[in-house]
Amino acid sequence: MKGRVPRAWALPLLWPLLLLGSGLCLYLAWTHVSLTHGLGSFESFCLAGELFDCDAVNTSPASELFGVPTSLYCLGLYTGMFLLVGPAHSKSRQGERSRGALRLLATLNLLASLGLAWYSHAHVQAWCLFCLGLYAVNALAFLLVWILPGPPFSLPTGRGFLRALSAALVAFLVSAMGAFGWGAHLNQQ
């Protein structure tokens, strides 16, 4: 049962894709906090008229959940996915479960992207180029993990799963605390 999975070429492509997505998430979170807690003089890089207005999208009600920028939730999922790519190469039961977990996380990210894209179109009536980039990353990640063999959804077990879950939670919490700290800093100016 040991060895490489068919179409394993898709797995190494996830690492740079997830790094790109993480960069976009951090930029969107920084922009959100700067826009909502800044002095009012901040404008994002993609303010290009009514159709492409990152500021409108990034200050809409859907741009945060429980006071945390929405993009930071994605960062936690990306961290978990990043750590599952290595074990997913194996034909073992753990590799199969890791591929199933990758599918689950990629599907959640894609569904969130579709919901946020709909909200931008229907309610904000503007698009954010960085958000569109994040949607593209999520769609590509979804396609890459679904071409791999294995069960549709599953969760890995053991230390590998606990490491991935812990890293995802730490990444989310650290970035959320950073966002709150940046917001508090901007509020004091």
Side-chain angles (χ1 to χ4, degrees), residues 14-25 78 82 137:
L14 280 172
W15 279 321
L17 192 63
L18 294 171
L19 286 175
L20 172 64
S22 296
L24 291 170
C25 287
Y78 284 161
F82 195 87
V137 165

Side-chain angles (χ1 to χ4, degrees), residues 54-147:
C54 290
D55 295 1
V57 174
N58 217 352
T59 56
S60 73
S63 66
E64 65 179 45
L65 183 63
F66 304 117
V68 177
T70 307
S71 61
L72 292 183
Y73 292 95
C74 195
L75 185 64
L77 290 174
Y78 284 161
T79 303
M81 289 176 72
F82 195 87
L83 294 174
L84 289 168
V85 170
H89 279 89
S90 172
K91 280 188 175 180
S92 69
R93 180 78 176 130
Q94 187 65 21
E96 211 173 79
R97 288 178 173 266
S98 295
R99 290 188 300 280
L102 282 170
R103 284 188 192 95
L104 176 64
L105 295 176
T107 301
L108 290 172
N109 267 345
L110 183 63
L111 291 173
S113 290
L114 292 172
L116 290 170
W118 171 83
Y119 188 87
S120 287
H121 172 71
H123 295 281
V124 182
Q125 298 178 340
W127 295 98
C128 168
L129 293 174
F130 290 92
C131 298
L132 291 172
L134 205 52
Y135 304 158
V137 165
N138 291 339
L140 284 171
F142 177 84
L143 292 173
L144 287 172
V145 299
W146 277 96
I147 65 169

Side-chain angles (χ1 to χ4, degrees), residues 3-70:
R4 305 285 271 181
V5 296
R7 298 180 295 280
W9 57 265
L11 288 167
L13 296 176
L14 280 172
W15 279 321
L17 192 63
L18 294 171
L19 286 175
L20 172 64
S22 296
L24 291 170
C25 287
L26 290 171
Y27 172 75
L28 287 167
W30 174 70
T31 302
H32 174 79
V33 172
S34 296
L35 287 167
T36 57
H37 298 284
L39 300 173
S41 62
F42 179 83
E43 286 185 1
S44 63
F45 294 127
C46 73
L47 183 58
E50 287 184 31
L51 182 60
F52 293 106
D53 186 351
C54 290
D55 295 1
V57 174
N58 217 352
T59 56
S60 73
S63 66
E64 65 179 45
L65 183 63
F66 304 117
V68 177
T70 307

